[in-house]
Amino acid sequence: MGRILIRDADVVITVNSKDEILTRQSLVIEDDRIVKVGPVDEVARAYEGIAFDEVIEARGFLVMPGLVDAHVHLSEQLARGVFPDDLSTRPWVFNWAKPLYAAMEPEDEYVAAMLAGIEMIKTGTTCCLDMGAQSDLGSVVRALERVGLRAITGRHAADRVPERLPAHWSSEMVARHFFPSAQAALEELERCVRAYHNTANGRIRVWVNIEGKEPCSPELHAGARELAERLGVGTTYHIASSIEEAIFTERKYGKWPVSMLKEWGALGPNLVLAHVVAIREEEIDYLADAGTKVAFCPGTSLKLAKGATRIGKYVEMMNAGITVALGCDGTSASGSLDMIRQMHLAACLFKDARMDATLVGARKALRMATIEGARALMWDDEIGSVEPGKKADLILFNLHHPDWVPFWDPVQTLVYSVSCGSVDTVIIDGQIVMRNRRILTVNEEEIFALAREHALRVIARANLPLGEGKVPLEAEVYI
């Protein structure tokens, strides 16, 4: 680490409490922190005669905080375009994702996490909340450490095997995917936190993550949050991800998913719930009262027909003071790890669905992808905005790019017009990990070659018949 000067940036989008947009600014980074943001001449005077290890000439560039992905599956990275695109949530999960997850070996997870890290960095994401490793958390941690991403990860856990197994599930797959009990799962989750939390100088954190929904028992839902609280970390899982799940939960427990969690004592401020599409009005108050956060994944909702625009209450959640962040989900679910796409969708979806142009919009979408994401991850004291004292997690856009020419409001331009192709430089924890769109931490071509090889093995091992139609398009499980 050292001292970096970002000199004479055209624009700095701070995403601070005042949403300040600054022009003609220089920034100084010392080790892993931002120590100065100010007008070019002021910074030059303050640091006259002081040597810098790196000087980034930022004339013609825009600087902003790195994007924060509040829900992602690194282990899906080897299955891009594999699943059919006419699946709703339940068959997508139980007929396709489960066999894929169970087929992941440690070396596959290492390559998948490396590949995902490359995609996130190249699209401007500097931090993510990963649902967790399917087999070996150490492999994922090593990959994230090497590629240079800031991340929260964990050990993906489920403990409730269906009474009647789908015909294409093997006994080996079940044994690999499910823990024998909630207690066994919680013991392994605690071991993972103690072994890997605060790796890479604190850049990688480990939470008590579970799958959530039908594959997890009430004891595991409540136990995960309680364990996380005891260990001083967070937890995350999927809930209320479709109307079918809500109907199932009501049939089995007499309540919709969020109400069920409240009854189990599973809600709390250290919990991030992914999706939360199927929610009733009174359940919004349950989340707000508990301080529980929500990760909204608009790309997945559109691709899997979850119903965010039809039954989703994300606007109401935000109005109730709930932290609603954005997530890309996995590449099989939404198609990419490009958070700029998710900002665009979040800014626009509810305008159109409710025919009200005042809803959400560009500035709120940007905050959802930065400081609100950081708040969901319990990391907003260090990341999510450009301010002295915060971690140096920054992205620089090249303004000499067609989608930036010309522009007036930089936030609107970013959210509605810009592609990830103009992300030029990425700094994470004070380290330059990409410059001139070239990843500096790993050899991209080597990772791409490895990913192609491992993808073939995983798909074959999962017995997913590409295009052969042998896997059913309906899911009759946990019914």
Side-chain angles (χ1 to χ4, degrees), residues 6-317:
I6 302 175
R7 183 159 55 198
D8 198 8
D10 285 23
V11 180
V12 176
I13 300 176
T14 65
V15 202
N16 62 16
S17 60
K18 298 178 181 178
D19 279 332
E20 289 180 298
I21 297 174
L22 310 175
T23 57
R24 301 258 72 93
Q25 298 283 299
S26 291
L27 297 83
V28 176
I29 297 167
E30 291 186 3
D31 295 328
D32 60 349
R33 301 277 174 177
I34 302 167
V35 297
K36 180 72 172 176
V37 180
V40 176
D41 292 343
E42 177 187 313
V43 173
R45 287 192 299 271
Y47 286 82
E48 184 176 2
I50 296 177
F52 288 91
D53 299 285
E54 291 270 358
V55 177
I56 299 174
E57 299 294 347
R59 178 70 67 88
F61 287 82
L62 178 149
V63 180
M64 63 170 281
L67 302 172
V68 180
D69 188 333
H71 182 71
V72 67
H73 291 257
L74 301 181
S75 54
E76 278 181 34
Q77 199 68 14
L78 299 181
R80 193 191 307 267
V82 171
F83 299 9
D85 73 343
D86 56 355
L87 298 174
S88 60
T89 298
R90 288 180 63 79
W92 185 96
V93 170
F94 297 119
N95 296 348
W96 292 81
K98 291 290 188 194
L100 174 77
Y101 293 160
M104 298 293 290
E105 300 285 357
E107 58 270 25
D108 304 316
E109 298 210 273
Y110 177 81
V111 173
M114 290 277 282
L115 184 63
I118 290 171
E119 182 174 353
M120 282 189 273
I121 289 169
K122 299 202 84 160
T123 54
T125 292
T126 56
C127 181
C128 72
L129 173 53
D130 170 40
M131 280 304 300
Q134 304 296 328
S135 58
D136 175 40
L137 179 57
S139 298
V140 173
V141 169
R142 286 190 294 275
L144 293 169
E145 186 170 10
R146 183 180 168 197
V147 78
L149 196 71
R150 184 182 302 280
I152 297 171
T153 185
R155 174 65 164 89
H156 194 91
D159 69 326
R160 187 168 172 269
V161 180
E163 293 180 4
R164 182 163 52 91
L165 297 181
H168 58 290
W169 283 23
S170 67
S171 57
E172 179 186 12
M173 177 206 134
V174 172
R176 286 177 60 94
H177 191 76
F178 292 91
F179 285 90
S181 67
Q183 184 60 35
L186 292 170
E187 288 174 1
E188 174 61 11
L189 294 173
E190 180 170 0
R191 185 195 71 79
C192 287
V193 172
R194 295 193 183 281
Y196 298 108
H197 184 54
N198 281 329
T199 304
N201 195 36
R203 177 165 49 83
I204 299 170
R205 295 178 174 180
V206 175
W207 279 13
V208 180
N209 295 352
I210 65 172
E211 182 174 345
K213 306 189 299 181
E214 300 98 310
C216 293
S217 66
E219 294 76 16
L220 188 52
H221 280 94
R225 202 201 66 76
E226 292 166 0
L227 175 61
E229 185 173 26
R230 177 163 61 84
L231 296 176
V233 298
T235 181
T236 187
Y237 50 81
H238 311 84
I239 207 73
S241 62
S242 68
I243 191 66
E244 291 84 5
E245 177 196 334
I247 292 169
F248 165 84
T249 303
E250 187 170 41
R251 183 186 305 134
K252 184 172 180 62
Y253 298 106
K255 289 178 169 55
W256 271 35
V258 170
S259 297
M260 174 190 72
L261 295 180
K262 181 177 183 293
E263 183 176 274
W264 293 345
L267 298 177
N270 64 342
L271 171 62
V272 179
L273 296 177
H275 302 304
V276 198
V277 179
I279 183 171
R280 288 176 167 159
E281 291 288 345
E282 65 271 18
E283 294 178 317
I284 295 173
D285 292 334
Y286 301 161
L287 297 181
D289 292 345
T292 298
K293 322 306 194 294
V294 171
F296 172 37
C297 303
T300 295
S301 188
L302 291 180
K303 185 168 179 281
L304 301 186
K306 288 181 178 293
T309 58
R310 186 161 183 178
I311 63 172
K313 292 181 172 57
Y314 300 98
V315 173
E316 289 79 3
M317 290 185 208

